[in-house]
């Protein structure tokens, strides 16, 4: 890579901003820090970055509003954006993807995870077919087809018989292949934050889900376990069964 990719970091807490800038720079990116939405709008308008990381809680404008304004700038719709959120109700808004943001990271986060996420998003958005945010069912050529209205998921053409929670988990994974979901996130988003649930609950449902997927394609493992962090849908699945 000849030119370092510019990453706009919009974060009002300088400690967090320093950490983010440090890991990005270490990884070969060129971070540009703005502590307010106003500065970010100016910076973005002058030169759209390769990717923008937006804190939701900013002093002058919330991150969601900033996201909309950035998107409206020339070239803005093509720039992937990643939210930093500290509260679960914010996460719900991002996750609803009503905004079409590319991803989010919940605070506190591991700097390594942030960089990994940035890399994944940039890789994904570099593919010509994947520039639009994934909010709709996977294309027919994909292994998974999501039917949100019927709460059904097809896997290589087979309609899966899923429990409510299995459906909820798989739906999230399918919408963002490669994206890692922690157990806490899955609990919060699939179980509506049910406080009587435990990590083991997620693991148990993943186990039954895997068995159902295995019944369709015994040689594939579509759900990856990332030790200590969570689960993700494999990005390596063949589009069609041989
Ligand atoms: Ca903040």
């Amino acid at each position: 890579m000849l030119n370092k990719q510019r990453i706009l970091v919009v974060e009002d807490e300088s400690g967090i901003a320093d950490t983010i800038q440090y890991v990005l720079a270490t990884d070969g990116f060129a971070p540009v820090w703005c502590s307010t939405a106003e500065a970010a709008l100016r910076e973005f308008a002058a030169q759209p970055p390769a990717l923008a990381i937006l804190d939701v809680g900013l002093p002058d404008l919330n991150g969601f509003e900033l996201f909309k304004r950035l998107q409206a700038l020339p070239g803005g719709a093509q720039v992937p954006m990643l939210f930093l959120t500290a509260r679960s109700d914010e996460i719900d808004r991002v996750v609803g993807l009503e905004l079409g943001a590319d991803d989010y990271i919940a605070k506190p986060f591991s700097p390594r995870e942030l960089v990994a996420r940035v890399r994944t998003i940039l890789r994904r958005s570099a593919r010509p077919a994947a520039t639009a945010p994934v909010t709709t069912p996977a294309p027919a050529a994909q292994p998974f087809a999501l039917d949100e209205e019927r709460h059904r998921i097809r896997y290589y053409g087979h309609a899966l018989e899923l429990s409510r929670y299995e459906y909820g988990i798989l739906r999230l994974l399918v919408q963002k292949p490669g994206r890692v979901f922690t157990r806490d996130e899955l609990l919060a988003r699939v179980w509506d934050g049910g406080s009587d649930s435990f990590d083991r609950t997620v693991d148990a449902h993943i186990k039954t889900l895997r068995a159902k997927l295995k019944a369709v394609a015994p040689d594939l493992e579509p759900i990856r376990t990332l030790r200590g962090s969570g689960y993700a849908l494999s990005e390596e699945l063949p589009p069609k069964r041989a």
Side-chain angles (χ1 to χ4, degrees):
M1 203 185 306
L2 290 174
N3 291 315
K4 290 185 177 182
Q5 289 181 293
R6 286 170 72 248
I7 311 287
L8 184 63
V9 179
V10 191
E11 166 63 65
D12 57 316
E13 286 172 61
S14 60
I16 296 176
D18 284 349
T19 305
I20 296 175
Q21 290 188 92
Y22 176 77
V23 290
L24 287 174
T26 305
D27 241 59
F29 294 103
V32 181
W33 174 39
C34 295
S35 61
T36 63
E38 193 196 340
L41 283 161
R42 264 202 315 272
E43 180 65 40
F44 197 103
Q47 192 188 346
L51 180 144
I53 299 172
L54 313 178
D55 181 29
V56 173
L58 292 167
D60 51 344
L61 205 64
N62 79 49
F64 300 122
E65 191 56 39
L66 174 62
F67 172 84
K68 287 183 200 156
R69 296 203 192 174
L70 291 175
Q71 284 232 311
L73 291 173
Q78 279 79 53
V79 175
M81 302 194 206
L82 170 68
F83 281 116
L84 288 178
T85 69
R87 305 196 328 247
S88 59
D89 58 321
E90 292 172 351
I91 292 174
D92 289 344
R93 282 194 65 187
V94 183
V95 165
L97 289 176
E98 49 186 290
L99 293 163
D102 288 83
D103 211 341
Y104 76 92
I105 276 207
K107 291 178 181 177
F109 54 88
S110 115
R112 301 311 312 165
E113 187 194 351
L114 177 86
V115 172
R117 204 72 69 77
V118 164
R119 285 210 175 281
T120 303
I121 296 172
L122 287 172
R123 202 169 53 228
R124 202 162 58 204
S125 62
R127 289 184 210 146
T131 44
V134 182
T135 56
T136 46
Q142 298 300 307
F144 288 97
L146 178 59
D147 182 345
E148 294 218 59
E149 286 187 4
R150 292 183 185 77
H151 282 208
R152 296 192 71 95
I153 299 176
R154 284 180 170 274
Y155 180 47
Y156 291 115
H158 295 261
L160 298 167
E161 294 285 337
L162 302 175
S163 72
R164 178 182 155 204
Y165 295 126
E166 288 165 354
Y167 169 79
I169 292 171
L170 190 57
R171 171 179 165 271
L172 284 175
L173 297 178
V174 164
Q175 283 178 326
K176 294 270 181 186
R179 153 87 153 77
V180 179
F181 292 88
T182 64
R183 290 179 180 81
D184 284 348
E185 262 183 285
L186 290 171
L187 275 177
R189 293 165 63 173
V190 178
W191 274 262
D192 303 321
S195 55
D196 55 348
S197 301
F198 300 97
D199 286 3
R200 281 193 308 277
T201 311
V202 174
D203 294 345
H205 283 82
I206 292 277
K207 194 173 168 195
T208 55
L209 199 44
R210 278 182 167 147
K212 291 177 182 182
L213 297 171
K214 200 127 253 182
V216 175
D219 53 327
L220 296 179
E221 184 48 85
I223 301 176
R224 293 160 51 218
T225 303
L226 291 105
R227 218 146 61 85
S229 51
Y231 297 102
L233 192 78
S234 168
E235 292 180 283
E236 314 296 332
L237 293 173
K240 284 221 168 66
R241 296 291 292 149

